[in-house]
């Protein structure tokens, strides 16, 4: 049986977190927990969380730590995650969220935090071209379009530009990333939990680098995590 894992994936907007988390979730047979996807689903369903989230997300601003950590801890308490582990995408995004996540997971900590490194010039190019499926979240771009029109190859859903992929919201998100999320890299480095991986090149090449980093860490821990 493939061993499970408890991972966090960090990286700027457009670094490829969503794509890599999906591949990793298949590779390790663990649940992909994406706070952005959960919030977009809440907006679509019109729940009270969704109503709170809609405006802030549209502006590219962060939701409060309390709200996010309640949503994440509820999800991490579910049985699929408890049995096999998780790949957390989009959280933590502040040092306070990271501290609360560690407290929540204690006494068992994360196995590894992966930082996908891509230069800002490149993420700006990727974000301007990014298109996503409204139903399943599959990623496309102007140069990697669905086969038939703008219908998703995976589920047939409509493929659109995300509302927060406007120039204004992108620059706000990158600014917040530098101010609030980038400090997490040193925070996890100090705790000996970080592996940085180059995020340029094909998605498959990046996945191979990440899997190698995870396996190196697992081998150093005597073949097992946690
Ligand atoms: P991106 O990484 O491209 O900004 P996400 O899909 O991860 O996109 O998140 C979309 C939006 O959801 C964020 O801009 C923010 O408004 C909100 N959000 C997601 N995760 C968090 C979080 N951990 N803390 C606060 N807000 C969050």
């Amino acid at each position: 049986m493939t061993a499970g894992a408890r991972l966090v994936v960090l990286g700027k907007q457009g670094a490829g977190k969503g794509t890599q988390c999906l591949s990793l979730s298949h590779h390790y047979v663990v649940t992909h927990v994406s706070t952005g996807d959960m919030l977009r689903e809440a907006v679509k369903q019109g729940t009270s969380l969704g109503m709170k989230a809609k405006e802030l997300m549209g502006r590219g601003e962060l939701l409060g730590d309390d709200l996010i950590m309640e949503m994440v801890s509820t999800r991490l308490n579910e049985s699929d995650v408890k049995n096999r582990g998780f790949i957390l995408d989009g959280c933590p995004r502040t040092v306070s969220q990271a501290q609360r996540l560690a407290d929540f997971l204690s006494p068992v900590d994360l196995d590894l935090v992966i930082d996908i490194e891509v230069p800002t010039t490149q993420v700006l190019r990727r974000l301007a071209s990014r298109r996503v499926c409204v139903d399943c979240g599959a990623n496309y771009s102007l140069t990697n379009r669905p086969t038939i029109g703008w219908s998703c190859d995976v589920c047939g859903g409509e493929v659109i530009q995300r509302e927060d992929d406007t120039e204004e919201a992108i620059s706000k998100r990158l600014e917040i990333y530098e101010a609030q999320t980038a400090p997490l890299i040193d925070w996890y480095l100090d705790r000996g939990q970080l592996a940085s991986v180059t995020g340029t090149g094909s998605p498959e090449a990046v996945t191979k680098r990440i899997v190698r980093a995870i396996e190196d860490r697992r081998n150093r821990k005597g073949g097992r995590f946690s």
Side-chain angles (χ1 to χ4, degrees):
M1 187 173 70
T2 315
R6 293 146 67 95
L7 307 168
V8 161
V9 177
L10 297 177
K12 295 186 188 92
Q13 287 73 16
K17 292 190 297 287
T19 306
Q20 293 305 325
C21 287
L22 202 63
S23 302
L24 292 172
S25 75
H26 292 150
H27 187 95
Y28 289 105
V29 200
V30 294
T31 307
H32 174 201
V33 177
S34 157
T35 49
D37 286 352
M38 289 165 89
L39 292 169
R40 278 184 286 278
E41 185 57 28
V43 171
K44 211 155 70 177
Q45 302 286 332
T47 63
S48 64
L49 171 65
M51 286 190 274
K52 277 185 215 153
K54 189 172 170 45
E55 208 185 312
L56 286 168
M57 289 175 80
R59 288 205 302 263
E61 292 177 22
L62 295 187
L63 275 78
D65 291 338
D66 287 347
L67 209 68
I68 292 291
M69 292 317 295
E70 193 190 318
M71 178 179 85
V72 169
S73 49
T74 303
R75 184 67 187 92
L76 297 188
N77 261 330
E78 286 172 27
S79 58
D80 55 337
V81 171
K82 289 202 138 175
N83 290 339
R84 300 264 332 146
F86 55 85
I87 301 177
L88 200 44
D89 164 11
C91 179
R93 238 179 243 246
T94 62
V95 170
S96 154
Q97 288 182 16
Q99 185 63 64
R100 291 199 211 186
L101 179 66
D103 293 345
F104 172 80
L105 294 174
S106 175
V108 187
D109 214 338
L110 292 166
D111 295 319
L112 190 62
V113 177
I114 297 130
D115 177 36
I116 305 179
E117 296 179 322
V118 178
T120 302
T121 45
Q122 195 158 339
V123 300
L124 285 172
R125 240 180 292 136
R126 287 187 187 177
L127 290 169
S129 157
R130 172 160 83 177
R131 300 293 182 271
V132 293
C133 171
V134 287
D135 290 328
C136 74
N139 264 296
Y140 297 91
S141 71
L142 292 178
T143 50
N144 171 33
R145 298 175 182 228
T147 319
I148 303 167
W150 288 103
S151 295
C152 179
D153 289 342
V154 181
C155 76
E158 190 188 0
V159 174
I160 58 153
Q161 182 164 33
R162 255 169 64 169
E163 266 179 42
D164 59 353
D165 276 348
T166 59
E167 216 175 300
E168 211 179 10
I170 288 170
S171 79
K172 182 84 206 167
R173 279 150 65 211
L174 286 170
E175 196 183 295
I176 294 177
Y177 174 85
E178 289 304 334
Q180 307 213 40
T181 309
L184 281 179
I185 294 169
D186 280 343
W187 195 83
Y188 280 121
L189 196 61
D190 288 347
R191 294 167 68 105
Q193 290 181 299
L194 189 86
S196 293
V197 169
T198 302
T200 51
S202 70
E204 296 75 22
V206 179
T207 306
K208 273 194 193 151
R209 283 178 212 137
I210 297 176
V211 169
R212 204 180 311 130
I214 295 170
E215 294 314 315
D216 278 356
R217 180 61 57 117
R218 209 195 286 273
N219 290 337
R220 265 187 279 145
K221 285 189 172 180
R224 357 183 0 187
F225 275 154
S226 312

